[in-house]
Structures are given as C-alpha cells and as structure tokens.
Amino acid sequence: MIVSVHANAINSYTVTGVVCGMLTTKGDLLTVDVSERTVTRTSIDDHLSAYIGGRGVATRLAYDRIPFGADPLGPGNRVYLSTGPFQTSRMSFTGRMNATGLSPLTNGLLSTNAGGFLSRHFSATGVPCVEIIGESDELLTVHITDGGVEFEAVPELAGATVPETSAAMEEQRGLGGEHLVTVGPAGENLVRYACLMTSNSRAFGRGGLGAALGAKRVKTVSFDGDAELAVSGLNEEAASEIHGDAAASDSMMKRQGTTSGIDVKNELFSLPTEYFERMDFDEGVEGINGAAVESKKYKRGTCSMCAFACKLPTRDEARGVETEGPEFETVFSFGSNLLVDDIVDVMQSNELCDRYGLDTISAGVTVGAYLASEDRFGDAELIHDLVERIARRDDEVGDLLAEGVDRIHEELGVENWTSKGLEFPGHDGRVLHGRGLGYATANRGADHMYSKIHNLEYNGEIGPEGLDGKAPLVAALEDLKAVNDSAVICKFSRSFMTEERYASLFGVDYEELLAIGERVVTLERAFNNRRGFDRTDDALPYDLPGFETALNEYYDVRGWTTRGVVPDDILEAVLEV
Ligand code: SF4
C-alpha cells in the first residue's frame, strides 16, 4: 500500500489521544529492580491510551524514566519489554514482542522487536509492560507470572548458550525457550550488538539490548500465567478478515520468507557485496538465493497465531547444520557481503549467531570489515571462527570486533558502513534513494524496518531514483511503522493492511493513528537530541543527489529545526498527551 501523506496528520498535536471506541489496553507497568530484588506496579492507563502499547508506551516510559545521561551498560539504563492489544487476539501477524532501552551500540534510545511464541505467554502475566532496572551483583533469572515475580541466582548458567539456557529452564521450571527472553554469551560479554533471544532462534535483533540486559547480570526472564490483558474495543471481525486473508494468501514469502526477492535485488544492484564494494553478486547469488534457502527448508515455520507462516526452518543433514533462516538480511550480511556462495555456510553463521545471541546484520557486517582489512573474503571457516571469538571476546581480534564497525573502522583501515553507529542492512540506498534517506533519518540508525520505504521502490509504486517528494513519504511511513510497533503488528502484514483496515482495527481515524506514530518518533528524537544527536548524525557514508534538500524537507514536515532537533513547543505538546 502507498501511505497517504495527510496534511492534518503532520504535527497534529491537538489530538487528545483518547477517542471514543478506540482499541484500548489498561494495565500496570511492572518494575523489576534486580539490584534490590523488589517489584513495584504503576498504572500506565494514560500512556496506553495515548501510545497503544509496545514501542509507543515503552518509548514514553523511557523518556520519563531513563536519565538522559545514562550509560547504556550501567545501572541507570532501563530495559522495557512490552506487548500490545492484538497479542490477546486470534489475528495473524501478532506473534511479536517489543523491547526498548538505551543502545550500547548507537548510544541512543532504541526499540526492537522479535517474533516467535513469547507474546502470548507474556500477555498471560496480565501486564502490558515490564521494566527491568538496576544491576544485580550475581547472575540472575527472573520469573514473572500472574502470581508474582521470583528472583533466582544462576551462577551455573554463566556462559551458557541460548539453547543451553532454554534446556536448563525447561528442566528446572518446565518453561522452554518460547517463555524466555535470554541473554546469550555475547550479551554477558557486553558485545555491543548482542541481541535478546526468545524461542531459541528469534531475536530482538538490532542495537545491542542483549548487552544492556547482560550488564544488569540478568541471564533470562521467563513469562508464564493464566491472566488476561484488559483490552477493550478489539474489532474481532476485522481481525478475523485479516487472519483469513493471511491463511489464503499464495505469497512467495510463504515458501521462501524474506529471501524470495534476492535475485531481483541482485538484478537491481541493491545487494551489497564484498563489504559494500559492489552492489551485485552475479557469480555467487544462485548459491544463496531464495531457491537455495527453500531447498534446505524441511517444514513450515511461523510465530504464534500467524497463518502467514513466513519463517524458514532449514537443515543440511550432510553437514549437520540446523537453524531457522537465514532471512534475507543474514544472506546479505554473511553471504554476498562476505563473498560466501554456499547457503549452508550462511545457515551455519545464522545458527552460531542465534546460539550466542548476536544480531546477524551487525555481526556479519563487522566480520566483513575484518575480512576487508585482511583480504580474506569467502573464507567460511574463518567467518564461523570469528563469530565465536566475538561472542566470547576471547582474544584481541574478537574483543575488537565486539565493539562494532563504528568504533573500530579506523583501526581496521576500512570504510565506516554505519549510520548512527548501526551497521547497514542489505537494501542498498545507493540505488534505492528513498531507502537511503530513510536510513539517515531513522532514530535507530541504519535501519530498514523503520520506514520500509524500499518496499515501494522495489515494486515500482515509486521510482527508486531521486528524492523528489520522498521526504514526506519517509516521515509518514516512519509514523505508520511506529503504529505497527506500538500495536506490535508484524510489518510483513503490509499487503493485507489498507487505511480502512487500520481504521477499523483500531476504531479510530487513520490520520489519528499516524499522529500517534508521530508522537513516538518525536519522543525518540527528543530523547536522542538530549544525548547529543542532531543533523550531523542523520548521515550516510555515500552521496545522494539532493540529499541535504530532502533532509531539510523532512525536518520541515516534522516541524523540527534544520539541525534535526525537536523544538520545545512540539515536545511540550507531545508530553501533554
Ligand atoms: S509474517 Fe512471518 S515474521 Fe511476521 S508474525 Fe507471521 S510468521 Fe512471524
């Protein structure tokens, strides 16, 4: 769908945020202090009305409660886990969860979400948002149920991989990986792009929140219960219609997931290759494309309640490799960008990242920076070895690469393929110019999920070249995706959602929904402004024609200053809601 850019959606801060008949959740924030081992509950009904849930509510809470100067790896950081109203429904695309906190990689406020089977167990605790604060003096597990919270010291789990941690929790508590948010060895070792893992193979991928929770010395948090979130106004008919459409769809994604477009990306020169030196992988793409992934897929894979089922359980019996994925981004980061043309080698990298709890994009790009510096492209054995050394920080090279490209590119003598410190994904903004602009403006950094404008550039809804008229579209898409993240609706629902469906699902005008999304983006930006982020951070490592003009237009649409800063009057209006 093309997102409408409604004039009255932009800067429309006169809205109240509470609309009669609107889908609403009520509930408490559960604050878990791992220093003091105490728990408090605070009603957040107002924030739930104004921000829906998920990323929106967590962003508002973070803005109010994390000190602007906090160290992402210190006790002042807070990690939020939150759900939305649809996690109580039977609608496809809702098997996801949100996590928010200060990123050890970008140093900014950041949200990330994961699929899998956690969301319903989280909702069954009866709270829409959990906040983890402080810093434990020993390695802990935290068990959250509808009946209370239990803390348990687990020194024996130090260094345990993600599957080993799940197996231990299964044995001790009968709770498998689908109940858990786990920090792998990479998070314990404060690798800056360590992710939080759930359901063993699903990652809250970007930005290093695994290290933020690892710094608090929390190994895993379990969720279980029989409670129900207090959700009202859910349009069951609209939800059921979307679920039916997802089930009936014959989308190629059901067979090949996000890898289904790899050949097209290669033909369009939007498949970064050889540490971004090239934009196609003609000589090797056949070995790692969607068909190659599908040839290793042995069953259908999904997230809870999702009939679209785009996940990719794969295995190669000859080499004894079994994993879930690789998704497109991992095929790029551990395949074309490293000149690896064997899908089993990419599967093995994927499996290692999941086992140790590493973001596959940042890990692959950082390994690529090292291979570029050593001229060792295509050496799969070295690549797998490096992933393990990074996760353990167990030698000089592993320790260096654990810092991410932004901090080490000068030492390696390679280009800095990051924006705001976040390593680039695979949709190449040098060809998809709106994508490039969106990488620069995203509060998270180089982030393909923040606006997803590349979808329109790939399918011809807008031309890939040039930035004319794209700034308002990037802003509107960022707002819409913030709505998805706040309701925690998977962004792969895109082909099934129209403006009318958004409106009927939420019981509110589409423009009002965009205004909610805009508040989320604005608060993230305002928080990061207070940490020193400004226009100089909305930058790309390459030139795009018309970029500075488009950036000015983007700021203008949002009502921000030409320095990329949220003015006080807009911030005050947002904070009043
Ligand atoms: S579309 Fe795919 S990633 Fe999204 S919820 Fe469904 S199975 Fe999970």
Side-chain angles (χ1 to χ4, degrees):
M1 68 182 285
I2 284 213
V3 166
S4 306
V5 183
H6 300 277
N8 61 347
I10 304 301
N11 302 329
S12 56
Y13 291 112
T14 51
V15 295
T16 63
V18 184
V19 177
C20 189
M22 182 179 171
L23 176 63
T24 313
T25 306
K26 292 195 182 304
D28 291 345
L29 169 69
L30 192 75
T31 300
V32 176
D33 184 334
V34 296
S35 300
E36 303 296 328
R37 315 256 167 110
T38 57
V39 177
T40 52
R41 294 179 77 113
T42 313
S43 171
I44 51 170
D45 289 352
D46 289 351
H47 290 341
L48 287 163
S49 294
Y51 293 91
I52 305 172
R55 171 180 156 200
V57 163
T59 298
R60 175 60 199 248
L61 290 166
Y63 188 91
D64 291 344
R65 299 163 76 100
I66 299 179
F68 295 130
D71 175 358
L73 295 174
N77 195 5
R78 295 171 178 236
V79 175
Y80 295 87
L81 296 164
S82 50
T83 189
F86 292 100
Q87 278 62 48
T88 62
S89 79
R90 300 185 65 76
M91 189 175 94
S92 288
F93 308 110
T94 61
R96 299 193 75 85
M97 279 275 305
N98 174 74
T100 296
L102 278 182
S103 162
L105 188 66
T106 71
N107 202 33
L109 185 66
L110 170 149
S111 292
T112 175
N113 67 55
F117 300 88
L118 172 69
S119 59
R120 266 61 186 181
H121 298 300
F122 184 96
S123 297
T125 64
V127 293
C129 186
V130 169
E131 174 190 55
I132 300 171
I133 69 171
E135 189 176 283
S136 171
D137 55 3
E138 56 188 338
L139 195 64
L140 274 189
T141 53
V142 180
H143 303 286
I144 300 176
T145 68
D146 49 343
V149 178
E150 199 182 319
F151 301 89
E152 185 184 6
V154 286
E156 72 281 6
L157 289 183
T161 63
V162 172
E164 285 167 353
T165 306
S166 297
M169 290 301 104
E170 177 84 56
E171 192 183 322
Q172 291 167 22
R173 302 230 165 208
L175 299 175
E178 68 276 15
H179 289 266
L180 307 177
V181 173
T182 294
V183 172
E188 284 185 71
N189 292 325
L190 309 184
V191 177
R192 289 188 184 273
Y193 43 89
C195 49
L196 294 166
M197 297 296 299
T198 182
S199 307
N200 278 349
S201 56
R202 308 298 177 85
F204 296 86
R206 308 240 59 198
L209 294 188
L213 199 57
K216 297 184 179 305
R217 306 205 65 199
V218 174
K219 182 65 183 171
T220 192
V221 188
S222 73
F223 299 91
D224 196 28
D226 293 310
E228 278 182 19
L229 278 184
V231 174
S232 60
L234 185 63
N235 185 336
E236 301 279 3
E237 200 180 320
S240 160
E241 210 175 278
I242 290 165
H243 190 66
D245 288 355
S249 166
D250 61 358
S251 166
M252 192 65 169
M253 277 190 74
K254 285 186 161 180
R255 285 171 47 199
Q256 298 183 358
T258 51
T259 66
S260 56
I262 287 175
D263 289 320
V264 172
K265 293 172 176 81
N266 188 60
E267 280 161 26
L268 284 174
F269 297 100
S270 65
L271 183 67
T273 298
E274 200 177 349
Y275 193 61
F276 302 96
E277 189 64 31
R278 297 155 47 197
M279 295 188 280
D280 71 270
F281 190 35
D282 283 345
E283 73 275 26
V285 72
E286 256 185 46
I288 57 170
N289 63 9
V293 173
E294 192 180 3
S295 74
K296 300 296 177 188
K297 187 175 168 185
Y298 63 94
K299 63 175 181 179
R300 290 186 77 199
T302 192
C303 304
S304 49
M305 286 312 306
C306 189
F308 195 59
C310 75
K311 304 311 292 181
L312 300 164
T314 54
R315 72 176 162 219
D316 182 84
E317 285 177 12
R319 286 186 40 192
V321 178
E322 185 167 330
T323 187
E324 190 167 65
E327 302 291 347
F328 161 68
E329 293 299 345
T330 313
V331 170
F332 133 75
S333 66
F334 277 101
S336 61
N337 213 32
L338 307 188
L339 298 189
V340 169
D341 60 5
D342 180 344
I343 197 62
V344 184
D345 285 328
V346 181
M347 285 163 55
Q348 194 167 341
S349 298
N350 190 68
E351 191 276 327
L352 286 168
C353 286
D354 288 351
R355 192 192 309 169
Y356 290 106
L358 285 166
D359 172 23
T360 59
I361 299 176
S362 288
V365 172
T366 307
V367 167
Y370 181 75
L371 298 189
S373 74
E374 298 284 311
D375 198 15
R376 298 278 300 273
F377 284 108
D379 186 339
E381 202 175 317
L382 172 63
I383 291 164
H384 299 148
D385 185 48
L386 285 171
V387 172
E388 301 200 35
R389 286 153 67 189
I390 290 168
R392 297 198 194 101
R393 282 187 182 264
D394 64 3
D395 65 3
E396 205 179 313
V397 171
D399 197 41
L400 179 74
L401 300 187
E403 292 296 297
V405 169
D406 189 42
R407 289 172 172 82
I408 65 170
H409 67 97
E410 283 178 7
E411 189 168 339
L412 293 180
V414 298
E415 283 186 53
N416 183 3
W417 277 95
T418 71
S419 183
K420 298 187 182 76
L422 192 72
E423 286 76 12
F424 271 84
H427 310 280
D428 205 311
R430 291 170 290 184
V431 172
L432 312 168
H433 292 176
R435 175 62 287 157
L437 178 65
Y439 283 143
T441 59
N443 288 325
R444 280 211 310 191
D447 175 7
H448 63 296
M449 300 303 281
Y450 203 82
S451 68
K452 282 184 74 69
I453 189 170
H454 55 271
N455 286 137
L456 310 187
E457 296 183 315
Y458 279 134
N459 67 20
E461 287 176 68
I462 58 173
E465 205 173 327
L467 290 171
D468 279 356
K470 290 185 181 175
L473 193 53
V474 166
L477 282 163
E478 288 178 346
D479 296 345
L480 182 64
K481 301 310 173 192
V483 170
N484 274 64
D485 287 341
S486 301
V488 204
I489 296 175
C490 180
K491 289 166 190 160
F492 299 145
S493 62
R494 176 179 171 269
S495 337
F496 303 88
M497 299 292 281
T498 59
E499 291 185 17
E500 292 70 31
R501 274 193 167 169
Y502 271 106
S504 65
L505 264 181
F506 287 83
V508 65
D509 287 348
Y510 182 73
E511 289 81 358
E512 173 73 0
L513 275 179
L514 289 185
I516 293 171
E518 185 179 26
R519 287 201 287 273
V520 178
V521 173
T522 302
L523 269 189
E524 285 172 343
R525 171 64 58 142
F527 192 110
N528 289 344
N529 288 153
R530 274 148 187 75
R531 290 180 70 80
F533 285 77
D534 62 17
R535 185 186 187 115
T536 57
D537 299 289
D538 293 340
L540 297 168
Y542 46 83
D543 292 329
L544 282 184
F547 176 75
E548 295 301 332
T549 305
L551 195 55
N552 284 336
E553 197 185 350
Y554 173 86
Y555 294 149
D556 192 44
V557 161
R558 292 219 172 276
W560 298 349
T561 72
T562 54
R563 298 299 304 155
V565 172
V566 179
D568 288 346
D569 59 334
I570 287 185
L571 179 59
E572 279 162 25
V574 169
L575 292 174
E576 269 171 25
V577 177

